[in-house]
């Protein structure tokens, strides 16, 4: 009995006057059932006949084994009343009773419907979902603005420790990676400009190319994207795990406002730090450009700066900088919003973290496009 | 429980477990007999969960031997380990259900991993298990976070029973249940033990459970099993912690009315 080296389960059908005698043999345990289950399901020919299941050859039986035999008898339509079990030991009878008492199939999932309908269904759901999502983001946005207003009126409500903590985590700690990446992109743009413009003998315009691109777009966009991936996602994960741990519910019952405690400091920290990071990104991007211009085009750094000063008005710098706090607000808002939407499980934290990054980057780029249109209109 | 000593299903000898320099068990001996319900009690932090986890191989012991079904768990090949794992089921303290799978899928998982059964059969068997542990069929498609604590425990038990094991390990199965729910759970375990011939290794704090369903009780203190025996043995013990536990205000209520 100990060693589970087992006889395979099998059965033979012996015809009788009224119908059949199903003689089961061997170990009817879960490990052996794949062999006989299909055969048992194939016994449709028994309909209307008497079926006697003979257990005399069964050496072991467990719940799974008892179930398949029970099911076979149950499924033989119109089986005679005289159908049943034979030679059942007391132990086996207990199992058969247990199975019979617990045979409650669960509801089937609804059948997949017409595929066109399903497509429409999905589209409808997505539209509805996007609408709800937009509403719920605007809702949180409103709460944040109200909270910010109250904080301005009553600065003591501001969570200073938390604010500085996030300024360090989301801001200061991001300086190395943002510096490195903007430097590289600045260098790449300069290199590209140098090699293409040189063919027209216009390599000196590399200065304008780098200046415009980095100051207006690349500095702020890269910063925003890195920050969204690095810290916006962290907001979602942090707030989301708190949601899973019921910490947010605990706060509410203690009369604490999660928006005030968790969301406002994060948003403020972002709005303060992202412009600073953008400035660093701008400087490093230009630095990369200067370096390449120097190495590839023999434009000395001094020349580069003089030309920049002459041909790139300062408003291009501001055109980039103005966008930074807006991007910051959107990223932090989305990060917190997704965090608050986490439900139940750790898996949900992962899903919302991904969503948060995707949505934040999407919105940042859309916002950037809107800014570009706006700048063109006002000729800035 | 006829020929008790010949039918030892789990034996632990001279077990020592430690985390860094923190020794949880030292020279711990324990035997579990086939077909019995053994209750393990002890103060919080005395190492009950660690003992359970060590026996099922989730924590490696620092010294000592553990035999399950007669095989030394420390020297099993992967193949032996796999077949041993088919013969026991573990219910964790909070269910430890896979959070991204429905209750039904949770129960199907061990079947899918260990055997090659058809999808239909797995579903049917999982449904039987769901009903056996007293969950309604509406619980089957639910995700773990949609269940109450008590339902999660039942679902965890159903998953532990998925492979029709010979031994089930239960970690505080009735903790956090209301008294009626806890009593129903006790009855469920007793019934399953009787119908399926299960051996039940149960960590518990619940004096009612100890009284209602445990054949023997093992008390864990001072890093080992200090007393093991029936409820009568517990009541007769002179060890201060055991006296406090079974004769304290809560102990008295249960033992006196019986
Ligand atoms: N993974 C672990 N790492 C370090 N120490 C642990 C770990 N698991 C448990 N312990 C320690 O082992 C001791 C026993 O824990 P446990 O078995 O969970 O207690 P209980 O008897 O309440 O179930 C405790 O002191 C605990 O701090
Ligand atoms: Mg424990």
């Amino acid at each position: 009995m100990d060693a589970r080296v087992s006889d395979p389960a099998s059965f033979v059908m012996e015809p009788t006057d009224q119908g059949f005698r199903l003689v089961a043999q061997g170990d009817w345990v879960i490990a052996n059932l794949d062999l006989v289950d299909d055969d048992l399901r194939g016994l449709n020919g028994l309909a209307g006949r008497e079926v006697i299941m003979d257990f005399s050859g069964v050496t072991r039986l467990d719940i799974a084994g008892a179930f398949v035999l029970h099911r076979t008898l149950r499924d033989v339509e119109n089986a005679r009343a005289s159908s049943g079990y034979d030679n059942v030991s007391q132990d086996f009878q207990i199992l058969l009773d247990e199975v019979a008492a617990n045979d409650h199939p669960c509801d089937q999932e609804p059948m997949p419907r017409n595929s066109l309908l399903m497509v429409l269904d999905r589209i409808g759901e997505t539209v509805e979902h996007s609408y709800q999502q937009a509403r719920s983001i605007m809702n949180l946005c409103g709460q944040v603005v109200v909270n910010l207003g109250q904080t301005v009126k009553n600065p003591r409500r501001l969570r200073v420790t938390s604010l500085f903590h996030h300024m360090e985590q989301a801001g200061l700690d991001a300086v190395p990676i943002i510096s490195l990446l903007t430097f590289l992109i600045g260098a790449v743009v300069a290199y590209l400009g140098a090699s293409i413009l040189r063919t027209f003998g216009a390599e000196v315009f590399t200065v304008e190319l780098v200046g415009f691109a980095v100051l207006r777009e690349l500095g702020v966009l890269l910063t925003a994207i890195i920050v969204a991936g690095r810290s916006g996602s962290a907001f979602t994960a942090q707030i989301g795990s708190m949601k899973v741990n019921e910490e947010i519910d605990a706060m509410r019952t203690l009369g604490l406002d999660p928006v005030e405690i968790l969301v406002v400091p994060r948003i403020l920290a972002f709005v303060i730090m992202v412009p600073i990071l953008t400035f660093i990104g701008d400087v490093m991007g230009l630095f990369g450009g200067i370096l390449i211009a120097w190495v590839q085009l023999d434009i000395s750094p001094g020349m580069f700066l003089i030309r920049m000063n002459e041909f790139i008005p300062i408003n291009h710098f501001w055109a980039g900088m103005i966008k930074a706090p807006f991007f910051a607000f959107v990223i932090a808002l989305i990060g917190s919003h997704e965090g608050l939407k986490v439900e139940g499980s750790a898996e949900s934290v992962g899903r919302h973290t991904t969503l948060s990054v995707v949505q934040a980057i999407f919105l940042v780029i859309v916002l950037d496009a809107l800014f570009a249109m706006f700048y063109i209109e006002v000729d800035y | 429980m006829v020929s008790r000593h010949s039918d030892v299903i789990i034996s632990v000898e001279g077990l020592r477990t430690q985390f860094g320099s923190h020794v949880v068990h030292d020279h711990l001996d324990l035997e579990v007999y086939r077909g019995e319900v053994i209750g393990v009690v002890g103060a919080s932090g005395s190492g009950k969960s660690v003992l359970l986890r060590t026996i099922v191989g989730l924590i490696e012991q620092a010294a000592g031997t553990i035999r399950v079904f007669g095989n030394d768990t420390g020297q099993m090949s992967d193949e032996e380990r796999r077949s041993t794992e088919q013969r026991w089921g573990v219910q964790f303290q909070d269910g430890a259900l896979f959070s991204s799978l429905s209750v039904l899928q949770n129960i199907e998982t061990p079947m899918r991993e260990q055997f090659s059964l058809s999808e239909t059969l797995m579903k049917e068997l999982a449904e039987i298990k769901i009903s056996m542990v007293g969950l309604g069929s509406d619980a089957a498609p639910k995700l773990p976070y949609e269940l109450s604590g008590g339902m999660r425990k039942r679902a965890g038990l159903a998953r532990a029973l998925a492979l029709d094991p010979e031994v089930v390990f239960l970690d505080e199965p009735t903790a956090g249940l209301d008294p009626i729910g806890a009593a129903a759970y006790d009855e469920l375990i007793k019934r399953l033990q009787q119908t399926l011939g299960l051996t039940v290794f149960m960590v518990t704090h619940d004096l009612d459970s100890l009284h209602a369903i445990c054949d023997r009780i093992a008390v864990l203190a001072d890093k080992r099993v200090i007393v093991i025996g029936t409820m009568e043995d517990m009541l007769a013990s002179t060890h201060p912690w055991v006296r406090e536990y079974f004769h304290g205000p809560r102990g008295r209520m249960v033992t006196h009315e019986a």
Side-chain angles (χ1 to χ4, degrees):
Chain A
M1 162 147 191
D2 280 62
R4 275 208 171 179
V5 184
S6 56
D7 282 336
S10 63
F11 64 90
V12 288
M13 304 295 291
E14 291 171 357
T16 60
D17 307 342
Q18 313 280 317
F20 291 96
R21 193 172 184 83
L22 188 158
V23 184
Q25 281 154 345
D27 289 347
W28 284 71
V29 293
I30 186 167
N32 293 341
L33 290 184
D34 50 327
L35 301 171
V36 285
D37 188 47
D38 289 341
D39 296 340
L40 283 176
R41 282 179 208 276
L43 295 179
N44 296 332
L46 302 182
R49 302 291 196 71
E50 177 190 77
V51 183
I52 303 285
M53 287 189 180
D54 186 343
F55 281 68
S56 54
V58 177
T59 40
R60 268 168 57 206
L61 186 71
D62 67 3
I63 288 284
F67 170 74
V68 289
L69 290 167
H70 160 83
R71 185 201 59 209
T72 308
L73 199 58
R74 179 196 73 193
D75 288 351
V76 177
E77 281 173 79
N78 315 320
R80 299 262 178 101
S82 53
S83 296
Y85 305 121
D86 197 9
N87 290 325
V88 181
S89 74
Q90 206 176 352
D91 288 350
F92 291 175
Q93 189 61 51
I94 295 176
L95 290 175
L96 289 167
D97 292 344
E98 182 74 27
V99 166
N102 288 299
D103 186 12
H104 310 298
C106 304
D107 299 335
Q108 293 285 335
E109 291 107 59
M111 284 281 136
R113 289 157 296 162
N114 181 324
S115 57
L116 177 65
L117 270 181
M118 263 168 66
V119 171
L120 289 177
D121 197 52
R122 286 286 292 275
I123 294 175
E125 246 172 47
T126 311
V127 170
E128 165 78 14
H129 179 250
S130 313
Y131 170 70
Q132 294 295 351
Q133 177 84 354
R135 265 185 68 137
S136 125
I137 293 175
M138 292 317 285
N139 196 338
L140 182 64
C141 186
Q143 286 181 41
V144 168
V145 170
V146 169
N147 255 295
L148 279 174
Q150 283 167 346
T151 311
V152 170
K153 263 201 304 199
N154 183 3
R156 285 230 318 272
R157 290 176 56 145
L158 184 63
R159 315 271 151 171
V160 181
T161 324
S162 169
L163 176 66
F164 281 114
H165 171 75
H166 291 297
M167 281 171 65
E168 185 190 336
Q169 278 211 328
L172 218 51
D173 294 351
V175 169
I177 183 154
I178 287 180
S179 306
L180 178 65
L181 292 184
T182 45
F183 171 81
L184 290 177
I185 292 292
V188 167
V189 169
Y191 189 79
L192 214 72
S195 50
I196 295 174
L197 292 174
R198 195 176 358 221
T199 51
F200 307 110
E203 57 259 52
V204 75
F205 286 102
T206 303
V207 176
E208 276 92 331
L209 176 67
V210 171
F212 279 122
V214 168
L215 292 181
R216 282 194 81 109
E217 294 293 342
L218 291 181
V220 64
L221 255 187
L222 268 175
T223 305
I225 289 172
I226 294 167
V227 163
R230 207 184 152 273
S231 310
S233 59
F235 287 0
T236 310
Q238 288 159 0
I239 297 178
S241 341
M242 295 178 75
K243 194 89 193 287
V244 172
N245 277 337
E246 302 185 322
E247 287 172 56
I248 308 268
D249 295 337
M251 279 183 188
R252 290 220 168 89
T253 59
L254 295 170
L256 306 171
D257 179 3
V259 173
E260 180 187 326
I261 295 179
L262 299 175
V263 181
V264 168
R266 285 175 163 83
I267 289 188
L268 268 183
F270 255 43
V271 170
I272 296 169
M273 291 313 289
V274 172
I276 297 178
L277 289 173
T278 302
F279 180 74
I280 295 174
D282 284 354
V283 171
M284 291 305 290
L286 291 178
F287 186 60
I290 288 173
L291 206 69
I292 292 296
W294 194 16
V295 174
Q296 289 275 314
L297 302 171
D298 274 338
I299 302 177
S300 76
M303 280 269 296
F304 193 107
L305 290 179
I306 290 170
R307 194 174 165 85
M308 246 187 80
N309 203 9
E310 217 169 299
F311 291 99
I312 305 180
I314 190 74
N315 67 340
H316 294 296
F317 166 71
W318 289 118
M321 282 305 269
I322 289 169
K323 295 190 270 191
F326 289 94
F327 289 178
F329 186 84
V330 165
I331 295 167
L333 186 72
I334 296 291
S336 310
H337 177 255
E338 287 300 320
L340 289 171
K341 275 180 57 184
V342 164
E343 259 179 11
S345 65
E347 196 217 359
S348 165
V349 177
R351 196 172 57 242
H352 283 284
T353 306
T354 315
L355 271 178
S356 139
V357 177
V358 173
Q359 279 179 32
I361 292 178
F362 171 78
L363 283 179
V364 161
I365 291 175
V366 168
L367 209 60
D368 190 57
L370 290 178
F371 265 109
M373 281 154 61
F374 174 73
Y375 286 152
I376 290 169
E377 285 300 315
V378 301
D379 210 9
Y380 189 64
Chain B
M1 275 184 294
V2 197
S3 57
R4 281 190 147 185
H5 298 273
S6 62
D7 226 4
V8 174
I9 197 164
I10 300 170
S11 85
V12 179
E13 272 170 50
L15 176 72
R16 187 169 80 240
T17 42
Q18 56 189 73
F19 296 101
S21 60
H22 172 49
V23 177
V24 183
H25 305 123
D26 202 10
H27 295 294
L28 183 147
D29 298 318
L30 177 68
E31 286 189 337
V32 181
Y33 306 132
R34 184 179 291 282
E36 75 173 342
V37 180
I38 188 163
V40 177
V41 299
S44 279
S46 59
K48 304 180 294 295
S49 301
V50 171
L51 177 61
L52 189 156
R53 290 166 154 272
T54 312
I55 294 176
V56 299
L58 294 173
I59 297 176
E60 204 170 335
Q61 71 259 39
T65 42
I66 299 171
R67 285 172 199 285
V68 185
F69 310 119
N71 304 323
D72 187 336
T73 54
Q75 306 189 338
M76 281 194 287
S77 65
D78 287 352
E79 192 48 44
E80 283 171 327
R81 168 153 289 279
R82 228 174 99 94
S83 73
T84 306
E85 279 166 358
Q86 289 176 11
R87 295 168 68 183
W88 72 43
V90 184
Q91 183 205 352
F92 291 92
Q93 216 157 331
D94 196 35
L97 298 169
F98 305 122
S99 55
S100 54
L101 302 181
S102 71
V103 171
L104 193 82
Q105 289 167 329
N106 259 284
I107 303 170
E108 286 172 351
T109 302
M111 302 185 207
R112 181 165 295 130
E113 293 307 313
Q114 304 277 7
F115 304 121
S116 54
L117 304 175
S118 70
E119 288 292 324
T120 334
L121 182 60
M122 281 195 291
K123 178 164 179 290
E124 288 168 340
L125 293 177
E127 285 164 356
I128 292 277
K129 295 286 149 68
I130 288 176
S131 166
M132 273 171 64
V133 299
L135 287 172
S137 52
D138 53 338
K142 289 205 169 109
L143 289 170
Y145 76 90
E146 297 173 303
L147 303 176
S148 71
M151 288 163 85
R152 270 205 293 276
K153 282 180 190 290
R154 284 171 190 266
L157 180 62
R159 190 181 64 186
L161 293 174
L163 300 183
D164 283 315
E166 293 164 54
V167 185
V168 283
F169 295 90
L170 312 175
D171 197 348
E172 305 208 13
T174 53
L177 297 187
D178 64 278
I180 299 175
Y185 203 95
D186 283 345
E187 245 163 59
L188 168 68
I189 293 185
K190 189 76 194 164
R191 186 171 60 82
L192 292 176
Q193 185 248 343
Q194 282 166 349
T195 50
L196 309 181
L198 280 177
T199 307
V200 181
F201 180 104
M202 177 164 71
V203 170
T204 185
H205 273 302
D206 191 332
L207 283 157
D208 290 302
S209 306
L210 288 172
H211 212 272
I213 62 172
C214 290
D215 300 311
R216 290 196 311 154
I217 297 166
V219 180
L220 216 60
D222 310 331
K223 301 180 182 160
R224 39 193 197 90
V225 176
I226 49 165
V227 198
I228 184 163
T230 60
M231 194 57 148
E232 286 70 45
D233 298 334
M234 296 301 120
L235 295 173
S237 167
T238 53
H239 189 283
W241 192 88
V242 181
R243 281 192 67 79
E244 179 70 28
Y245 193 92
F246 291 96
H247 292 277
R250 296 182 145 217
R252 219 171 299 138
M253 268 168 44
V254 176
T255 48
H256 277 203
E257 77 192 23

